[in-house]
Amino acid sequence: MKPDFARNMKLLGHSDQGGRSDGIQVMVSGGYAYVGHLFSCGFSVIDVRDPRKPTFVRHIAQPEGTWSQHLQTYGDLLIVNNMKDVMRDPEMNSGSYYKGSIGDKFDLAAPSHAAGIRMYDIADRANPKEIAFCSIPGLGVHRTYYDGGDYVYASALPPGFSDDIFLIIDIREPSKAEVISKLWIPGMNTAAGETPNWDAKKHRYALHHAIVKGDLACGAWRDGGITLMDVSDRHAPKILAHDNPCPPFAGGTHNTLPLPGRGLMFVVEEAVFDNCEDGIKRNWVYDISVPTNPVSISTTPLPSEEDYAAKGGQFGPHNLHENRSEGFQSEELIFVSYQNAGVRVYNIADPFRPTEVAALVPPAPKKLMDYRPNKSLVVDSTDVFVDKNGLIYVTDWNGGLTIMELERV
């Protein structure tokens, strides 16, 4: 297996994940990778103790009609999201999921899916054991952030809201886990009579997720831009600042990584349509040294060794390594999955002039797991996790799990 392009990076190993080669979020803990699936329902466990020969261990299904593409690990706890599998809805297949608010696009009166977070004990890393399910009525939980402690930070669409909002869940007793607070951009609480000051048929204001460092939560709201939120009181979080570069820029804010030691935040937008139909998406560096006044100060260079916009599939960033406490941590090196342009590594030592220092584009997948019509057989690097040893784990919508490492930077 040879990469299509590599600079300062090399491939080590690959797994087709037991034939379920679609993957979104990946976490690595104790020598095992946990991969959430987009099309295959459930998640898979892969033994990566030998990164050159990763071995599929098992697949754990979720309830029928349920998405579980995102997951989190810390210590012996694994948290898996449960929400409606919207990709199997004919309207969503047309791209409606990304165009405007989705709260009124589903009839949730008689849900045919599980909605909430499912928790597993992974003390035996190869054999996750379900210990609790926290039900959160509505469309379900899209994504969570958990890096230890008493609280899970989630995005979810409960009844009465136009789209995904910010929730804090107390999990001190997993069997009695409960939502203790909610926060949203004003205009999203339709049940309370709020109305948006944006075009809700064109722009999707929805929390993808928030990354929390200490008492600061940085939220990515798709076409709604970014928020900085004070979560020092977990029962009463509050918005400190809201900034939105869309328009004039293309929107789709997807990841917001605070770098508290430097007073910075790295922001990733998501390309959601093939052939750049939704415009050119970017990575941004913000100065958040004054949390009430975030200021964008630079963007990263676009991959340029090939015409990726004409390659087919989706060209643009998607996710980043979140500097998790059990993984690799750096406030200068940033790892971003870049869909048909593979993985990109940036050095932001000078935050005003970020540079790309390494890249690797895996080969195209051998088959499509994506059942939607007219999809290209092209690489789609989706998520990235970096372990304490610097090994890089990358998922693909169709191409399985790839393990790589930096050669030099």
Side-chain angles (χ1 to χ4, degrees):
M1 183 177 182
K2 294 183 179 180
D4 286 351
F5 172 80
R7 181 164 65 89
N8 295 335
M9 297 177 74
K10 66 179 180 180
L11 280 174
L12 294 181
H14 177 265
S15 170
D16 74 350
Q17 301 166 170
R20 298 177 179 87
S21 56
D22 56 308
I24 298 287
Q25 194 161 26
V26 55
M27 291 280 146
V28 178
S29 178
Y32 287 80
Y34 303 88
V35 174
H37 294 292
L38 187 65
F39 305 113
S40 295
C41 179
F43 67 94
S44 291
V45 183
I46 298 131
D47 183 341
V48 294
R49 288 176 293 179
D50 182 349
R52 290 172 173 79
K53 295 180 180 180
T55 304
F56 171 76
V57 176
R58 69 183 68 258
H59 175 78
I60 298 177
Q62 299 295 284
E64 185 177 356
T66 300
W67 241 3
S68 55
Q69 76 277 47
H70 294 131
L71 42 75
Q72 299 276 278
T73 61
Y74 181 86
D76 292 338
L77 183 64
L78 165 68
I79 298 171
V80 179
N81 79 305
N82 275 191
M83 70 172 285
K84 179 180 175 65
D85 182 353
V86 300
M87 285 296 180
R88 295 192 183 275
D89 185 288
E91 184 181 7
M92 294 300 104
N93 282 348
S94 70
S96 178
Y97 180 68
Y98 297 107
K99 295 178 180 178
S101 299
I102 66 171
D104 60 354
K105 294 178 180 177
F106 298 100
D107 180 5
L108 300 176
S112 58
H113 63 284
I117 58 171
R118 205 167 293 275
M119 289 170 271
Y120 295 81
D121 183 324
I122 54 170
D124 179 352
R125 292 296 191 267
N127 297 288
K129 178 183 178 182
E130 185 174 338
I131 56 173
F133 176 71
C134 175
S135 175
I136 301 175
L139 191 68
V141 171
H142 184 75
R143 183 158 162 165
T144 61
Y145 181 82
Y146 180 70
D147 200 22
D150 296 334
Y151 305 101
V152 172
Y153 306 90
S155 58
L157 203 174
F161 289 88
S162 60
D163 218 312
D164 294 323
I165 63 170
F166 180 62
L167 283 69
I168 300 180
I169 307 166
D170 185 331
I171 62 162
R172 281 176 288 187
E173 293 186 55
S175 63
K176 298 179 181 179
E178 62 175 343
V179 175
I180 58 171
S181 59
K182 301 173 183 176
L183 190 62
W184 58 91
I185 293 175
M188 297 181 69
N189 190 344
T190 55
E194 294 182 2
T195 56
N197 61 6
W198 60 90
D199 185 346
K201 294 186 181 297
K202 179 179 179 181
H203 296 298
R204 187 179 178 200
Y205 278 47
L207 181 68
H208 184 264
H209 73 303
I211 299 176
V212 182
K213 303 295 182 183
D215 291 333
L216 180 67
C218 294
W221 294 83
R222 300 185 186 268
D223 297 337
I226 62 101
T227 57
L228 273 63
M229 299 173 285
D230 179 354
V231 295
S232 55
D233 182 349
R234 267 59 179 181
H235 291 267
K238 59 184 179 181
I239 294 176
L240 299 173
H242 178 209
D243 182 69
N244 189 9
C246 170
F249 292 93
T253 307
H254 204 244
N255 285 226
T256 38
L257 175 65
L259 305 169
R262 301 182 64 196
L264 299 174
M265 176 174 65
F266 195 92
V267 176
V268 173
E269 295 175 340
E270 178 192 21
V272 297
F273 292 112
D274 292 350
N275 306 309
C276 297
E277 180 188 329
D278 51 329
I280 297 297
K281 303 301 178 74
R282 301 180 183 277
N283 302 309
W284 301 79
V285 180
Y286 272 75
D287 184 317
I288 60 168
S289 56
V290 179
T292 55
N293 185 33
V295 178
S296 57
I297 59 175
S298 64
T299 61
T300 61
L302 296 175
S304 59
E305 69 277 350
E306 181 179 335
D307 185 356
Y308 288 104
K311 182 178 180 179
Q314 295 169 186
F315 168 53
H318 189 252
N319 284 317
L320 52 66
H321 172 64
E322 295 181 338
N323 269 357
R324 302 179 63 80
S325 61
E326 294 186 329
F328 179 83
Q329 293 183 301
S330 173
E331 295 203 346
E332 292 188 358
L333 284 182
I334 307 294
F335 299 77
V336 177
S337 58
Y338 222 99
Q339 301 192 101
N340 74 3
V343 176
R344 304 285 151 164
V345 184
Y346 302 100
N347 187 315
I348 61 166
D350 181 349
F352 295 96
R353 294 185 177 180
T355 58
E356 183 186 291
V357 295
L360 191 148
V361 182
K366 296 181 179 180
K367 64 177 182 178
L368 284 175
M369 298 295 295
D370 191 340
Y371 44 72
R372 294 172 296 171
N374 304 316
K375 290 298 176 180
S376 302
L377 194 62
V378 63
V379 64
D380 196 320
S381 295
T382 307
D383 192 44
V384 55
F385 179 95
V386 187
D387 71 16
K388 284 187 177 292
N389 297 318
L391 296 183
I392 304 157
Y393 303 80
V394 180
T395 54
D396 186 290
W397 274 32
N398 300 286
L401 177 68
T402 301
I403 304 173
M404 54 189 78
E405 67 177 350
L406 292 174
E407 291 187 300
R408 60 185 181 278
V409 293

